[in-house]
Structure formats: C-alpha cells, structure tokens
Amino acid sequence: MEQNKKTIFSGMQPTGAITLGNYLGALKNWTTLQEEYNCLYCIVDMHAITVRQNPAELRKNARNLLIQYIAAGLDPTKNIIYYQSQVSGHAELGWILNCFTYMGELNRMTQFKDKSKKHADNINAGLYTYPALMAADILLFNTDLVPVGHDQKQHLELTRDIAMRFNTIYGDTFTIPDPYIGKVGAKIMDLQEPTNKMSKSAEDKNATILLTDKPDEILKKFKRAVTDNFANIKYDVENQPGISNLISIYSAITNKTYDEIENEFAGKGYGDFKVEVAQAVIETLKPIQQKYDELQKDKAYIDNIIKENTEKANYKAQKILRKVQKKIGFPPIIR
Ligand code: AMP
Ligand code: TRP
C-alpha cells in the first residue's frame, strides 16, 4: 500500500448471492479504482446479523462473496479484502461512535424504516444502530472515498456528520469521507417491479439477476422483465420505469449514453431490445463466472488471501483506534 495514495473503503453484506445491481452499482466501480487508490473491501458480516441468519449459510455466503470480489476483478494483492468480524476494531470503534450518534438521526434512516417493516418480528437494537457501525467501518481507515450505490447515500451523510462532530470536540481525528456514486448503474431496479431497487432478498426469482446465473436463466429473466404498452424504447423513469431500467443496465455495461441507446433501438421492438440487453449481461458475466468456478477449487489460495489481508486490515485499524481511544480519555495500554 502506497503512502501518497488516497484511501477507499466499501463493503457488502454476505446475505446471499450478489445481484447485477450490486455489480453495476458498486463492485464494477471498485475494480476501476484499484490502481489509483489504496482500497479496502470488506465483507460486512457483522452488519448481516442485524437480520437473522442461518450460521452455515452466513459462513458460506461470506466466503462466496469474497471469492466473487476477486472473480469480478479485485486483485487481492492490491486491495485489502477481508471479513469485518475478523477485525475487532470495527466493533470497538462502532461502540464509541454509537455514543456520538443521536437517536433523532437514526430515526430518519430509510434503510432502518424499510428493514423494520420487512422484519417486524425482529426490530433489534443492532438494526437501529447499524449506521454507527457503518460509520466506524469507514472512519477506522481514514477513508477518503466510499464507492456505493445510491441507496447508501444517507448513511454516508450521517458518517460525515458523526466524523465532523467528533473532530469538533476532540480536534482533527477523522478524515471526512466523500461518497463515490457512479453516474450510471447506481440504482438498478427489480425486473418485475421496476419501481423497487433490485435486491438480494427479493422473493420473486425472476426479479433479480444473480452474478452466478447461467446464460439461459439470464435470457429468460430479461424476456420476462416487466415493461409497458408504449412500444417506445425511451428513458423515462416516470412513465416507463421498466424500459428505463433496461436502458440503464445496457448503458452501464456498454458505456453508451441513453441517447445513443434510444437511437440505436429506434423503431425496434421490446423483444429485440431485451435479447440485446440479456446478451450484453451474459457476455459481461461469463469471464467472472469462469474465474469464480476456478477460484472455488483453490482452497489454499483463498485461505492464504484471507489470512494475509486480515493481518493488514487489523494493523491499520489498530493504529487509528488507539488514536481515538487516547483522544476520548481511555487509559493507555501498558506493555
Ligand atoms: P448490499 O447488498 O445492501 O450489501 O449492497 C452492497 C452494495 O451494492 C452497496 O454499495 C449498494 O449501494 C449497492 N447496491 C445494492 N443494490 C443495488 C441496486 N439495485 N442498484 C445499484 N446498487 C446497488
Ligand atoms: N450498508 C451497506 C449496504 O447495505 C454495507 C456497508 C456496511 C458499507 N459498511 C459499509 C458500505 C461501509 C460502504 C462502506 O450496502
């Protein structure tokens, strides 16, 4: 890790196979940043348990997600890729930042409101204070930039507020992080209900494209994607959310602008367009899937990556954590 480069931190929850939304909204951008920045990409398993998880599945999902990070193009020698639960600084700073986060702020978080509705039988304190832990994830490494999808913007604003509050009281401690939200792909929608974001936890299997979906599944899902009766390939989220979503997927993959796509498909039917989008997605995912299958077979290699990266992350985390502990008045460690 080079001294003069800025730091990037981001993470995903290991709550199931990742979706095309996760890929286009976050992971794809991550792979373009690895040369220019010092990057840490975390598997946020501590966040995942704010919703009840099956232990064996959580463990499997966490490892699969780590392998997907690498398969998608994150070089594990250039990026620090690790499990949140294995770097105890997250929990320790998380507690501290809980004491600098107001209930009024947490009450406003839309993800909390959404998840409380969805899991009405388990509205636990962790779900509520989730944003303070997320702030700790980011601030623990003096992060400059956080590449996320649009849905995480509110959490990031809160992170900035918490950091500034702390700095005002104790003097310059934390770097104030900026969000990095891609221009296209930041909000990929559900294929069946295109006014909702595409989510790992969707009940309808046709609603989401998973990174591990086979070509015929991908084609089938796009063919079934909900559109409209306008028979016009036009980016118009208000009136044509389904078609607009397909355009934004196609744009994120091909780097073509919405205008270019509208011109290219002017006068063509939705059926043709859906097949084109599906093909583009299939081609993009093919090399990722091949790499994923190969990496799954190499247990020793993956284990070694986990071991080395966890050590690096712990080392960095401890440095900032000690600084914070000192500032707030915790006694020094006597060696
Ligand atoms: P999560 O699946 O909630 O852990 O999200 C991991 C990352 O993917 C975050 O940066 C999200 O903002 C991003 N993300 C999740 N769903 C979508 C989506 N439908 N469109 C774009 N980005 C997304
Ligand atoms: N809250 C994020 C999500 O649901 C995941 C996350 C946890 C995260 N900690 C983070 C993302 C820190 C970026 C930086 O997608």
Side-chain angles (χ1 to χ4, degrees), residues 248-281:
S248 74
I249 291 172
Y250 195 65
S251 169
I253 285 185
T254 61
N255 291 324
K256 291 178 188 170
T257 64
Y258 297 163
D259 278 348
E260 283 167 347
I261 296 168
E262 285 172 6
N263 288 334
E264 185 180 339
F265 291 96
K268 298 233 172 83
Y270 287 173
D272 290 344
F273 184 52
K274 285 177 169 180
V275 172
E276 282 296 320
V277 178
Q279 287 304 346
V281 171

Side-chain angles (χ1 to χ4, degrees), residues 10 39 44 67 87 113 166 187 193 230 232 251 253 294 329:
S10 196
C39 304
V44 292
I67 295 174
V87 174
K113 289 185 211 164
F166 193 98
K187 200 167 186 190
E193 284 179 51
F230 290 93
N232 183 13
S251 169
I253 285 185
E294 276 166 32

Side-chain angles (χ1 to χ4, degrees), residues 11-13 21-22 25-26 148-149 151-152 185-188 197-198 200:
M12 283 191 200
Q13 301 190 52
N22 295 131
V148 283
D151 62 332
Q152 295 303 311
K187 200 167 186 190
I188 301 299
K197 77 162 187 174
M198 186 182 282
K200 287 179 200 134

Side-chain angles (χ1 to χ4, degrees), residues 10-27 30 44 47 65 69 111 115 130 134 146-153 180-181 184-190 196-201 208 245:
S10 196
M12 283 191 200
Q13 301 190 52
T15 43
I18 61 176
T19 70
L20 188 64
N22 295 131
Y23 178 69
L24 296 177
L27 192 49
W30 300 0
V44 292
H47 279 98
L65 181 56
Y69 280 4
Q111 186 167 305
K115 288 201 176 173
Y130 178 118
M134 176 159 165
V146 185
V148 283
H150 187 266
D151 62 332
Q152 295 303 311
K153 202 165 165 243
Y180 173 92
I181 296 171
V184 286
K187 200 167 186 190
I188 301 299
M189 309 309 275
D190 182 298
N196 296 341
K197 77 162 187 174
M198 186 182 282
S199 161
K200 287 179 200 134
S201 52
T208 44
N245 186 36

Side-chain angles (χ1 to χ4, degrees), residues 63-131:
R63 191 171 173 102
N64 287 346
L65 181 56
L66 186 130
I67 295 174
Q68 277 180 328
Y69 280 4
I70 303 169
L74 293 181
D75 180 342
T77 64
K78 289 191 183 142
N79 305 274
I80 301 182
I81 300 174
Y82 68 101
Y83 300 128
Q84 185 184 30
S85 58
Q86 298 186 349
V87 174
S88 60
H90 287 274
E92 294 174 75
L93 185 60
W95 173 254
I96 293 170
L97 296 185
N98 256 310
C99 304
F100 293 86
T101 308
Y102 299 122
M103 290 177 65
E105 291 173 317
L106 296 174
N107 288 336
R108 285 200 290 276
M109 295 294 118
T110 53
Q111 186 167 305
F112 172 68
K113 289 185 211 164
D114 290 348
K115 288 201 176 173
S116 310
K117 254 185 238 150
K118 233 177 177 172
H119 306 278
D121 56 337
N122 179 24
I123 306 176
N124 60 73
L127 189 66
Y128 185 59
T129 61
Y130 178 118

